Amino acid sequence: MKIRNVMHNKKEYMELLLLADEQEDMIDRYLERGDMFVLEDGGVLAECVVTREGDGVYELKNIAVAPDCQRKGYGKQLIEFAFSYYGDCERMLVGTGDVPSSLGFYHSCGFTESHRVKNFFTDHYDHPMFEDGKQLVDMVYLKRERPGGV
């Protein structure tokens, strides 16, 4: 298994990107300014995109694992890699839908709730978004802080 930084042709991974963010024009808002990492293990199994949002602050904008490879630890490995990749990272943020499966995953990766953006999904997407049978309305932001950081 290896994780590598994708510097060019990031849209080659659109199928995976769309698993985490189902509207391509929303992905376009962060894809080129972000760092993309792919996890390979006999093929590309997972990806994530991380953006720098300020001094010591990074945001996990997109993370996805191929459906037949989920629940095998690949997502957690990508998060651990990204958190350690940025030596100056004091706080990593991630925004997600308000559903137990997503929140539970991020909590298990060391994230705690930070804040909410009201009506994010209804205001920014051109169609209703659903996860686990629930319509997404608010974006829930979570944070993970490096001990001794912010």
Side-chain angles (χ1 to χ4, degrees):
M1 183 201 77
K2 76 175 188 176
I3 296 173
R4 66 180 174 83
N5 193 342
V6 175
M7 305 294 281
H8 307 286
N9 303 318
K10 296 176 185 178
K11 286 200 171 198
E12 285 182 23
Y13 303 94
M14 189 56 69
E15 187 174 335
L16 271 175
L17 290 160
L18 288 167
L19 289 175
D21 191 345
E22 63 186 61
Q23 193 166 303
E24 190 170 343
D25 70 327
M26 293 296 283
I27 293 169
D28 289 341
R29 293 180 183 194
Y30 56 79
L31 187 59
E32 288 309 315
R33 72 179 180 95
D35 294 324
M36 174 182 255
F37 303 101
V38 295
L39 182 148
E40 298 174 322
D41 193 1
V44 175
L45 305 182
E47 64 74 29
C48 71
V49 178
V50 180
T51 58
R52 184 173 187 274
E53 298 299 321
D55 289 343
V57 180
Y58 292 82
E59 185 172 342
L60 181 62
K61 291 285 195 179
N62 188 306
I63 183 167
V65 177
D68 58 338
C69 299
Q70 293 176 359
R71 302 196 178 281
K72 296 181 180 177
Y74 294 122
K76 283 185 180 182
Q77 288 180 27
L78 267 177
I79 287 174
E80 289 306 316
F81 175 86
F83 197 72
S84 64
Y85 181 84
Y86 301 102
D88 67 331
C89 180
E90 297 174 0
R91 176 182 294 144
M92 183 159 296
L93 299 169
V94 62
T96 190
D98 190 6
V99 292
S101 61
S102 295
L103 296 174
F105 169 72
Y106 290 115
H107 288 147
S108 76
C109 294
F111 287 82
T112 58
E113 290 194 31
S114 172
H115 62 282
R116 289 175 179 256
V117 177
K118 292 284 187 192
N119 302 316
F120 180 86
F121 291 102
T122 53
D123 289 349
H124 292 91
Y125 284 82
D126 64 10
H127 63 284
M129 302 274 289
F130 290 88
E131 190 171 336
D132 296 344
K134 179 181 178 185
Q135 184 174 356
L136 303 181
V137 178
D138 297 343
M139 172 87 74
V140 179
Y141 268 91
L142 298 107
K143 64 183 176 185
R144 178 173 165 185
E145 296 177 335
R146 190 176 307 279
V150 176

